[in-house]
Amino acid sequence: MNITVAITGASGAIYPQRFLNHLAAEPGVSRIQLVASAPGLRVLHEELGGAVTLSNVAERLVEDGREKVEVLSNNDVGASIASGSFPVDAMVIIPCSVGTLGAIAHGISRDLIQRAADVMLKERRKLILVIRDTPFSLIHLENMRLLTLAGGTIFPAIPSFYHRPGSIEDAVDQFLFRVMTHLGLKPARAYQWKGSKGGIAARRE
Ligand SMILES: Cc1cc2nc3c(=O)[nH]c(=O)nc-3n(C[C@H](O)[C@H](O)[C@H](O)COP(=O)(O)O)c2cc1C
């Protein structure tokens, strides 16, 4: 698979950091196009510390399998992924700001991330937006609705707790495994709910 990963200026540097490492470790993933907005790089800097720039972002985020990652400039609207003729299987915007959500939902295409996402929609390919903000305004919700109608998947950064995560990393990983499963991958450590005897039935006993 050839996957585009975009980082925008929403909180949650841990999401793209761990996601990129999980993706790079997948034998089924041969190439990753990585693009970050300027606010995206700024949030990485705020949350990870140290300078994070276009030239060191792959080094800062990816430990093993970095040779699979190609970093593209968000200013380069002529990059490969700006054209539908370039074969990309899926694009994941992680985290996705509500600003980028709005731009994509309205077809603005003013930078590479917005254009590449627009291409995914027009080519009827998989586009996943890991939205992060709270609370949501009606504008955000309407944009999510529009994006969903256009074929995108809103995948809010909302980890689950029923698998009883022992750490933030564990909670984040299980969330990321859900995203990867949506991409058609089979992450080995993905938790699967097998049903339970709890709930109403148990309480009646
Ligand atoms: C430290 C920091 C955290 C932010 N967190 C969020 C957030 O969680 N969600 C969001 O939508 N915007 C957040 N923003 C604001 C966006 O970065 C800002 O709206 C930016 O213009 C988004 O641009 P982009 O979508 O091109 O990356 C944050 C900004 C900073 C500096």
Side-chain angles (χ1 to χ4, degrees):
M1 289 180 87
N2 193 6
I3 297 175
T4 296
V5 175
I7 301 172
T8 66
S11 183
I14 192 173
Y15 288 106
Q17 187 178 37
R18 297 188 77 81
F19 187 59
L20 284 164
N21 282 285
H22 291 318
L23 271 191
E26 280 286 326
V29 175
S30 52
R31 199 106 195 100
I32 299 166
Q33 289 79 226
L34 172 62
V35 49
S37 67
L41 291 172
R42 174 168 176 183
V43 175
L44 292 176
H45 159 73
E46 300 288 346
E47 297 186 357
L48 300 179
V52 186
T53 63
L54 193 63
S55 40
N56 75 0
V57 64
E59 205 176 304
R60 289 296 311 274
L61 297 183
V62 190
E63 283 166 25
D64 297 322
R66 208 179 296 145
E67 66 284 352
K68 291 184 180 178
V69 180
E70 180 191 12
V71 178
L72 303 172
S73 164
N74 197 32
N75 295 324
D76 185 7
V77 287
S80 54
I81 57 173
S83 169
S85 63
F86 185 75
V88 172
D89 296 293
M91 176 173 180
V92 182
I93 309 181
I94 176 168
C96 184
S97 73
V98 290
T100 290
L101 162 73
I104 299 168
H106 294 274
I108 306 291
S109 291
R110 284 284 185 266
D111 59 28
L112 183 60
I113 294 174
Q114 296 169 16
R115 168 62 187 168
D118 199 61
V119 166
M120 298 305 284
L121 294 176
K122 84 181 174 74
E123 300 292 336
R124 308 293 195 269
R125 295 178 192 155
K126 196 162 281 206
L127 173 65
I128 293 178
L129 277 65
V130 179
I131 307 288
R132 216 289 342 161
D133 212 339
T134 195
F136 292 128
S137 72
L138 180 63
I139 293 169
H140 304 151
L141 294 168
E142 284 295 330
N143 285 339
M144 287 188 223
R145 177 179 167 275
L146 198 51
L147 212 292
T148 303
L149 288 172
T153 301
I154 301 296
F155 219 117
I158 304 177
S160 62
F161 297 93
Y162 51 83
H163 62 282
R164 301 186 185 180
S167 64
I168 290 176
E169 288 77 9
D170 192 9
V172 165
D173 280 351
Q174 290 302 331
F175 169 80
L176 296 175
F177 296 153
R178 293 292 306 276
V179 177
M180 290 170 72
T181 303
H182 265 251
L183 295 178
L185 298 166
K186 292 187 172 64
R189 291 198 295 114
Y191 175 85
Q192 280 182 7
W193 177 253
K194 299 279 192 322
S196 92
K197 294 200 166 63
I200 294 167
R203 269 185 255 126
R204 279 196 192 124
E205 284 167 11

